[in-house]
Amino acid sequence: MLEQTFVIIKPDAVAAGNVGAILSRYEEAGLRIHRMDLRVIDGSFADRHYVEHLERDYYPPLREFMTEGPLIALVLTGDGAVARVRALHGATDPSVADHGTIRADFAESTRRNAVHASDSPETAAREIGLWFGEG
Ligand code: CDP
Ligand code: MG
């Protein structure tokens, strides 16, 4: 089923010059770019994106990280895009991410882990609305 998912190439990966390599992973998997924007977000916007994480111990440094420099916000489309992008990304902690996943290849740490992707179609709809309006 054709689906949309929301993705962030996080500030660590943009600063390291890994944007092109990461975008290629999606395109080579047959996913297509529907929306794409380089932007810097502030802390209150990070709070809205990570609303389910606000009370976590790891949130204050995560908020700092996500606002430290430019990131790439993306909407990707394709059959089963939500699950397929999560599989391409690998585990949150790159030290246990499967070989060949984006996080295994590009993430620095559990926090600075290169990419974000929606975890369900419902989350994708919320995140696409937050970042791109209803587009
Ligand atoms: O991004 P993903 O859905 O794989 O992981 P999450 O559990 O929803 O956590 C969101 C983000 O918080 C992660 O991608 C990490 O950047 C960060 N995080 C962290 O800094 N420390 C943790 N112990 C867990 C997550
Ligand atoms: Mg998550």
Side-chain angles (χ1 to χ4, degrees):
M1 189 181 89
L2 197 65
E3 201 169 64
Q4 295 191 342
T5 193
F6 175 72
V7 170
I8 301 170
I9 303 177
K10 293 183 178 182
D12 59 327
V14 175
N18 291 326
V19 173
I22 292 172
L23 289 174
S24 292
R25 301 288 179 99
Y26 306 129
E27 293 191 322
E28 285 163 7
L31 296 152
R32 290 292 175 263
I33 298 169
H34 178 66
R35 304 289 296 269
M36 182 162 74
D37 191 40
L38 183 142
R39 63 179 82 163
V40 177
I41 62 167
D42 65 15
S44 64
F45 192 86
D47 295 347
R48 295 175 70 195
H49 174 72
Y50 278 127
V51 64
E52 288 160 10
H53 303 260
L54 294 184
E55 305 307 321
R56 303 289 183 143
D57 290 349
Y58 58 73
Y59 186 67
L62 175 62
R63 185 183 202 257
E64 196 67 26
F65 162 51
M66 292 299 290
T67 58
E68 74 181 21
L71 52 74
I72 305 279
L74 282 166
V75 179
L76 297 178
T77 60
D79 289 340
V82 171
R84 286 176 55 218
V85 171
R86 297 280 296 188
L88 288 173
H89 283 187
T92 309
D93 175 354
S95 72
V96 300
D98 287 345
H99 183 77
T101 61
I102 289 171
R103 282 167 166 168
D105 291 344
F106 299 108
E108 298 175 14
S109 66
T110 295
R111 178 184 309 135
R112 303 175 67 86
N113 61 355
V115 283
H116 162 85
S118 308
D119 60 12
S120 69
E122 294 71 28
T123 306
R126 184 187 77 78
E127 292 176 346
I128 292 167
L130 174 63
W131 287 77
F132 287 107
E134 294 314 303

